[in-house]
Amino acid sequence: MEERKLNEKESLERITQMITNTRNRMQTSNGNVYLIWGYTSVAIAILIYTIGFFSTHPGWNFLWFLIWIIGGTLTGHVLKDDRKSPKGYTDKITEGLWSIVGYCAIAFTLLCLYFMFAKGADCWSLMMVFGLFVIGFATSVQGVILKEKSLTAGGGIGMGFGAFIMCCLIADIPLENTWTTPLFILTFIFMMIMPGHILNHKAKKNHEIGRASCRERVSGHV
């Protein structure tokens, strides 16, 4: 009878530890991914903003695509080991959420290319709305999923600035690079870089608490 109770206790402890490890893994993975996209977006934006002081040729704006190339490549490398891990319900929701964002990015890009080549119209401001509002919305939803306020707040900032950009477009207010790019940089600092560091800090802290708890249990059994 006593042996059965001990096994039940150990099973509960094991399940609790697995849940904790999964949460820590998600926090670390999401934290690293947010840092990759945050720092990449800010670095490319600074590069384009600097180039703007020396050249006004619109071709330089294609450098924005480096965000997708670099961010996607590094994200695939970081999440390589995670793909081998069992997927929980939260993992599937997260993957689905960001898959939708990826499809939106492709759709928005194709629309801009169509209007540029077929109609001779510049619609690339739409990508600024995508980068701030759509990604901001997804980040806020991710914050709700992970119960992380910094993501929810950062995504809210992105949606707010994205809505502001939409209002400017509707009101025919010119979107000057002198203020839109700094706005983009500021948004991604609040929306991705800061939450990324917070997530990693919490994951590290939870991991240390988990290790300490394991040591205490081992000492208790001994």
Side-chain angles (χ1 to χ4, degrees):
M1 190 68 176
E2 289 297 318
E3 181 67 16
R4 186 179 66 81
K5 289 182 178 179
L6 180 61
N7 288 336
E8 287 176 356
K9 181 180 179 181
E10 289 176 344
S11 296
L12 288 172
E13 289 177 347
R14 186 170 298 178
I15 291 171
T16 301
Q17 186 62 42
M18 288 175 63
I19 293 173
T20 301
N21 290 340
T22 300
R23 182 172 178 79
N24 289 343
R25 176 181 60 79
M26 285 194 66
Q27 285 180 326
T28 303
S29 297
N30 280 282
N32 289 336
V33 169
Y34 273 102
L35 289 177
I36 286 171
W37 287 98
Y39 278 115
T40 300
S41 299
V42 168
I44 298 301
I46 291 174
L47 173 63
I48 294 173
Y49 185 72
T50 303
I51 290 174
F53 286 104
F54 304 98
S55 174
T56 57
H57 192 281
W60 289 109
N61 286 310
F62 283 101
L63 288 174
W64 287 108
F65 285 105
L66 287 176
I67 294 177
W68 301 108
I69 297 171
I70 297 173
T73 302
L74 293 179
T75 298
H77 177 72
V78 167
L79 298 181
K80 181 173 59 177
D81 294 333
D82 273 9
R83 293 194 181 98
K84 302 175 184 177
S85 304
K87 300 297 181 183
Y89 183 67
T90 304
D91 293 289
K92 293 178 181 178
I93 293 177
T94 297
E95 288 183 0
L97 173 66
W98 289 105
S99 293
I100 292 172
V101 172
Y103 294 140
C104 287
I106 294 172
F108 279 42
T109 302
L110 291 177
L111 281 172
C112 291
L113 288 172
Y114 168 76
F115 277 94
M116 182 176 70
F117 291 112
K119 304 296 182 180
D122 183 0
C123 295
W124 288 104
S125 297
L126 182 66
M127 297 307 295
M128 180 66 72
V129 175
F130 168 82
L132 299 181
F133 190 88
V134 177
I135 294 180
F137 176 77
T139 301
S140 287
V141 173
Q142 183 76 69
V144 173
I145 295 172
L146 296 179
K147 298 180 180 179
E148 176 55 52
K149 293 180 180 179
S150 64
L151 284 174
T152 305
I157 291 173
M159 285 191 290
F161 285 149
F164 175 74
I165 295 294
M166 282 191 284
C167 289
C168 289
L169 292 173
I170 294 171
D172 290 328
I173 297 175
L175 299 181
E176 301 292 343
N177 184 56
T178 52
W179 64 269
T180 54
T181 303
L183 184 67
F184 179 90
I185 293 170
L186 183 65
T187 301
F188 271 76
I189 290 174
F190 283 111
M191 187 168 64
M192 291 196 165
I193 294 178
M194 291 177 64
H197 283 295
I198 291 172
L199 283 170
N200 281 353
H201 174 73
K202 288 185 176 181
K204 182 179 179 182
K205 185 178 179 180
N206 290 336
H207 180 67
E208 291 174 352
I209 292 173
R211 290 181 61 185
S213 178
C214 287
R215 286 196 295 268
E216 289 178 1
R217 287 199 296 269
V218 171
S219 299
H221 287 305
V222 174

